[in-house]
Amino acid sequence: MLALNNNDRKFWLDSMLKIANPVLLHLKNRTLKQEMPVEMKEGTSRERFSHLEALSRLLVGMAPWLERESEDEEEEILRLKYAELAREAVDAGTDPKSPDYMNFSDDFQPIVDTAFLAHAILRAPNELWEKLDNRVKQNVIRALIATRTRKPIFSNWLLFSAIIEAFLYKVGEKSWDPMRIDYAIKQFDQWYLGDGIYSDGPEYHHDYYNSFVIHPMLVDLIETVGEEYRDWAVFKDSIIKRSRRYAVIQERTISPEGTFPPVGRSLAYRFGVFQSLAQHALRKDLPKELPPAQVRSALTEVIKRTLSAPGTFTESGWLTIGFCGNQTGIGEGYISTGSLYLCTAAFLPLGLSSSDSFWSNPPMEWTSKRAWSGKEFPIDYAF
């Protein structure tokens, strides 16, 4: 059994697996397309894309937990089970003979979610790559290369093309394209605005895409390929420092009640908003003003507050469109059921051992909880 002081970890794990079960179990049986409802904004047609979204976005959050052997016997049994399910899911989605074969080449959206799949494999190279059969590996490579027939939008999408190439580089594919990576790294440096914030394209958008995509992919991109060229390596320090500053900003947006501002696009990704903060917890490089247990306590409250909202799940366990419950009206035209699984990006710290201070230290009040209760709290400084 999980240790008593890891009740938060048990809650996180139970929550993540509850979200994962419908997707992975139906992919194991190759019945995802048959059984997954595709909720979307009226007048849109997202059925071609939703299944790949569900698989790739789910795995990008689960990957660190799948990759690390657990210290707890009961949890390790679960990890091994779900790692096998995840590999079966990748097989089902990339096998052209499978009824659940996914769309990697029709229209532009597959660039996005093929990138999330690539990012997931980079986060779990042993469980989600090395343990795949060679047949499945070749199917995955073909699926990723298929996205090259279209160009990404001049925005955070540059990072999708780049992370796909970083994956191909990592697995030794000789056809990997350094230009797609070079363009993304250098263009985002041009789009840096200051104080840990990037513009998403030529114009600034006040939303959470610095966390949904930009910081997490830039950090993992530079960690994967940064040493390949000297003019990439020089960006590494600034990319990581900017991302750590953004983690500080993220933690301060969490209210004493575990809520956060509903601003910007893609609010239906729910607590996936906090991927950047979660990533630095996973990397064990949180800024000194953010003790790991403080971040755990804040994110636990956010996850509890969000998942307890009535209507968050259908009767059969699928996520519904919404920010706090089922609110279909806040889903943009590109949002459907599969899109919602990016929420799992907040679960990245499950990739830390249960004895890590993130999990084992006592709960702590987070910044706004201390601030709004009249207690001392650290002053904030621009980066």
Side-chain angles (χ1 to χ4, degrees):
M1 298 292 291
L2 294 179
L4 185 62
N5 65 349
N6 274 339
N7 280 344
D8 283 351
R9 183 178 178 92
K10 186 177 187 307
F11 166 71
W12 281 47
L13 182 57
D14 289 347
S15 298
M16 183 177 73
L17 298 184
K18 177 181 179 179
I19 291 167
N21 279 334
V23 177
L24 294 183
L25 292 175
H26 280 298
L27 279 167
K28 172 183 170 61
N29 296 324
R30 302 200 170 193
T31 55
L32 184 71
K33 288 187 177 180
Q34 178 182 322
E35 298 295 335
M36 188 180 91
V38 182
E39 183 186 16
M40 67 192 96
K41 187 174 183 178
E42 186 176 352
T44 62
S45 178
R46 304 297 295 178
E47 296 91 345
R48 292 177 295 160
F49 313 122
S50 201
H51 306 97
L52 177 57
E53 289 181 297
L55 170 65
S56 59
R57 296 172 187 227
L58 173 67
L59 292 184
V60 87
M62 289 187 75
W65 177 70
L66 295 174
E67 186 71 357
R68 187 186 185 93
E69 183 177 350
S70 176
E71 298 169 328
D72 177 85
E73 183 178 353
E74 181 181 345
E75 184 178 329
E76 178 62 7
I77 291 170
L78 280 174
R79 187 191 70 84
L80 292 172
K81 171 187 172 182
Y82 278 89
E84 179 62 29
L85 281 173
R87 290 189 291 273
E88 291 174 340
V90 171
D91 185 9
T94 59
D95 180 1
K97 298 178 182 178
S98 166
D100 279 332
Y101 179 60
M102 295 170 180
N103 171 19
F104 296 96
S105 57
D106 180 19
D107 215 320
F108 290 86
Q109 180 66 37
I111 298 171
V112 176
D113 295 292
T114 306
F116 282 126
L117 179 60
H119 199 182
I121 298 173
L122 287 174
R123 285 174 168 171
N126 183 52
E127 295 292 342
L128 294 182
W129 183 252
E130 295 301 333
K131 292 186 179 181
L132 293 178
D133 293 341
N134 284 334
R135 172 188 60 84
V136 183
K137 287 180 178 179
Q138 291 307 307
N139 284 338
V140 171
I141 289 172
R142 279 191 287 269
L144 268 63
I145 289 175
T147 63
R148 289 175 173 169
T149 60
R150 288 133 292 151
K151 73 175 187 68
I153 298 168
F154 192 54
S155 67
N156 68 88
W157 281 45
L158 297 182
L159 289 166
F160 298 140
S161 289
I163 208 79
I164 289 169
E165 298 304 322
F167 162 81
L168 294 170
Y169 162 84
K170 187 70 173 180
V171 302
E173 182 65 26
K174 292 181 180 179
S175 71
W176 74 283
D177 181 5
M179 277 300 298
R180 295 170 195 253
I181 295 172
D182 189 75
Y183 187 24
I185 290 172
K186 293 176 180 176
Q187 184 59 65
F188 267 93
D189 193 62
Q190 294 295 309
W191 284 338
Y192 182 64
L193 300 177
D195 203 22
I197 305 292
Y198 290 94
S199 175
D200 184 8
E203 295 183 353
Y204 173 67
H205 297 179
H206 191 77
D207 56 29
Y208 294 107
Y209 271 78
N210 269 262
S211 185
F212 289 142
V213 177
I214 298 169
H215 282 300
M217 284 199 177
L218 271 174
V219 167
D220 286 346
L221 181 66
I222 206 68
E223 292 280 21
T224 303
V225 303
E227 298 305 314
E228 186 66 22
Y229 289 96
R230 185 177 300 176
D231 61 333
W232 293 352
V234 298
F235 289 100
K236 183 174 181 178
D237 186 57
S238 60
I239 285 173
I240 293 173
K241 283 182 177 178
R242 292 165 182 176
S243 186
R244 292 176 74 231
R245 167 57 182 158
Y246 189 71
V248 172
I249 294 170
Q250 285 220 296
E251 190 269 349
R252 286 177 175 251
T253 68
I254 300 172
S255 79
E257 300 78 26
T259 62
F260 56 93
V263 297
R265 302 168 286 163
S266 303
L267 292 174
Y269 301 159
R270 294 182 168 94
F271 44 78
V273 156
F274 295 103
Q275 177 175 202
S276 191
L277 177 61
Q279 184 181 39
H280 286 288
L282 174 67
R283 288 170 51 85
K284 301 181 74 166
D285 67 349
L286 286 165
K288 64 181 185 301
E289 60 265 45
L290 291 182
Q294 177 176 315
V295 173
R296 181 196 81 230
S297 300
L299 289 178
T300 299
E301 197 62 28
V302 169
I303 296 167
K304 285 181 177 178
R305 179 72 182 247
T306 307
L307 292 184
S308 65
T312 299
F313 297 94
T314 68
E315 289 185 6
S316 51
W318 302 95
L319 287 171
T320 65
I321 293 175
F323 176 73
C324 181
N326 187 201
Q327 301 154 311
T328 308
I330 63 104
E332 291 88 350
Y334 54 83
I335 295 291
S336 69
T337 299
S339 316
L340 314 176
Y341 288 83
L342 193 56
C343 69
T344 61
F347 294 121
L348 295 178
L350 284 169
L352 297 167
S353 67
S354 56
S355 61
D356 187 88
S357 60
F358 182 91
W359 297 110
S360 61
N361 282 4
M364 294 179 65
E365 293 183 329
W366 49 100
T367 303
S368 67
K369 192 162 187 175
R370 294 204 302 275
W372 285 100
S373 59
K375 298 177 182 177
E376 291 294 328
F377 67 100
I379 195 169
D380 191 36
Y381 293 96
F383 173 62

